[in-house]
Amino acid sequence: MNNNPNSPLLLPASPKLLAHRSAWLKKLGQERRLSEHTLDAYERDTRQFLFFISEYFGDTADLKSVANLKPMDLRAFLTRRRQNGAGARTLGRGLAGVRSFLRYLENAGLANATAASAMRAPRQPKSLPKPLTATDALRVVSDSDQLIEEPWVRARNIAILTLLYGCGLRLGEALSLDGMALRDENAKSIAITGKGNKTRTVPLLPVVFKAVNAYRKLCPYDLHQGAPMFRGVRGGALQPAVLQRDMRRLRGALGLPDSATPHALRHSFATHLLASGGDLRTIQELLGHASLSTTQVYTGVDTKHLLDAYRSAHPRG
């Protein structure tokens, strides 16, 4: 069976259009350094777009059929996705992927991306991050509450979760650390390369060194330069899904809500800093947010917590 997502056997599109699509995805990965998760999403979105175009025009999608798309054509695509259950965030990402692909074709002189550029993304629902309480966050990174019996694997999970909560890292950022990282216990900070290949400086707490050193001493694999710090049981780079699975089991055992994910520890880092008097600009820098508006969502979380506490404590609450 042909498992190539660009295969004409699986996609109703001309070989020439598929070749350009493949080159576009490769360019995104190599030059713009988009994450594998984003590339997979763009691949799926443009695949669904080509299926739609083929059905919409009643013929195999080719360069001619995408060269001069009108806003009504793109609105019809988004309407079909919405009818199939796609939410506003998925629709917005799908439009971004199609827009990027059409701009790539436009730069090659093969299409007009004006319609896609003029399209507004669907309005995104406002949702607040769901951090853990300080007590629950500390339970998640506590050795006594872990379910893993293998000592080095338990220490590995604690070290990663401590990095997420103690430094506000994304899971991917923690898993991308080099084997030689965090060896200098006198270091006050660490350089983290995040989204958009941007580097930020994150302060280090002693508890982070303690957790990482405990893992390093127990890990049966050589954590040398150029190799990943965090390993799977067979010695390869630890996959995010493994820690996410372990976190699901842990939150079940601790009675935590489904929102208690590894990423929620990053939310907890920001929310707890804000509640303790941290300013938004500093928190923005620590999280690696490109825009302050992204960080401002945590003011809503903090306000909600204050209101909840007020209502529960006030006599007229």
Side-chain angles (χ1 to χ4, degrees):
M1 178 178 178
N2 192 335
N3 292 316
N4 182 355
N6 288 321
S7 170
L9 296 175
L10 300 177
L11 272 175
S14 69
K16 193 169 184 179
L17 181 57
L18 291 177
H20 283 293
R21 176 173 172 268
S22 180
W24 164 69
L25 288 168
K26 184 176 181 180
K27 181 183 178 71
L28 291 180
Q30 293 183 345
E31 295 184 13
R32 291 187 54 191
R33 300 178 68 89
L34 294 187
S35 69
E36 186 175 341
H37 175 77
T38 301
L39 289 175
D40 287 344
Y42 277 13
E43 191 283 319
R44 289 193 303 273
D45 291 332
T46 51
R47 186 194 328 149
Q48 291 168 333
F49 175 67
L50 293 180
F51 270 107
F52 170 79
I53 289 298
S54 175
E55 180 183 346
Y56 187 67
F57 290 113
D59 199 0
T60 299
D62 57 14
L63 287 170
K64 183 179 179 180
S65 62
V66 302
N68 292 292
L69 291 171
K70 299 177 176 59
M72 62 178 295
D73 303 325
L74 294 169
R75 281 196 291 269
F77 169 61
L78 295 180
T79 297
R80 176 65 59 82
R81 295 293 309 277
R82 187 179 289 110
Q83 290 171 342
N84 291 335
R89 294 185 188 280
T90 301
L91 292 174
R93 188 203 61 216
L95 179 60
V98 170
R99 183 186 288 136
S100 174
F101 180 41
L102 292 177
R103 283 175 178 165
Y104 172 83
L105 294 176
E106 183 178 62
N107 290 336
L110 299 171
N112 184 344
T114 302
S117 298
M119 284 283 292
R120 282 189 174 186
R123 186 180 296 276
Q124 301 294 323
K126 291 186 177 180
S127 59
L128 295 176
K130 297 179 179 179
L132 284 69
T133 66
T135 299
D136 287 340
L138 291 175
R139 292 174 69 198
V140 165
V141 299
S142 168
D143 179 72
S144 61
D145 284 310
Q146 299 300 312
L147 301 178
I148 306 296
E149 293 185 4
E150 178 63 41
W152 80 269
V153 176
R154 183 169 64 249
R156 177 200 69 192
N157 286 7
I158 292 172
I160 297 170
L161 296 174
T162 301
L163 280 163
L164 305 189
Y165 182 48
C167 298
L169 302 192
R170 300 177 178 92
L171 178 55
E173 293 169 348
L175 296 186
S176 68
L177 288 175
D178 184 85
M180 291 295 288
L182 296 166
R183 281 188 177 274
D184 181 6
E185 294 189 31
N186 293 317
K188 303 298 183 183
S189 62
I190 185 172
I192 298 294
T193 301
K195 287 186 175 181
N197 207 30
K198 294 180 179 178
T199 300
R200 66 186 189 275
T201 300
V202 178
L204 291 170
L205 299 172
V207 67
V208 173
F209 281 112
K210 182 179 178 181
V212 172
N213 283 339
Y215 160 68
R216 193 186 298 279
K217 291 176 182 178
L218 294 172
C219 182
Y221 302 105
D222 180 19
L223 304 180
H224 58 273
Q225 188 169 3
M229 174 182 290
F230 296 112
R231 308 296 185 87
V233 293
R234 296 183 180 178
L238 180 66
Q239 297 302 306
V242 174
L243 191 79
Q244 290 163 346
R245 178 203 64 201
D246 290 347
M247 185 69 174
R248 284 195 298 271
R249 294 173 177 171
L250 180 60
R251 75 180 179 227
L254 297 179
L256 302 180
D258 290 346
S259 58
T261 63
H263 198 66
L265 288 171
R266 175 173 156 88
H267 293 323
S268 305
F269 166 83
T271 305
H272 299 164
L273 273 182
L274 185 64
S276 299
D279 66 275
L280 279 176
R281 282 292 182 187
T282 300
I283 295 172
Q284 176 193 359
E285 294 176 4
L286 293 176
L287 293 174
H289 286 162
S291 169
L292 182 62
S293 62
T294 306
T295 314
Q296 284 175 327
V297 69
Y298 292 105
T299 62
V301 178
D302 192 42
T303 301
K304 182 179 183 299
H305 284 177
L306 287 173
L307 286 173
D308 288 345
Y310 174 81
R311 290 181 182 127
S312 64
H314 196 280
R316 300 298 295 272

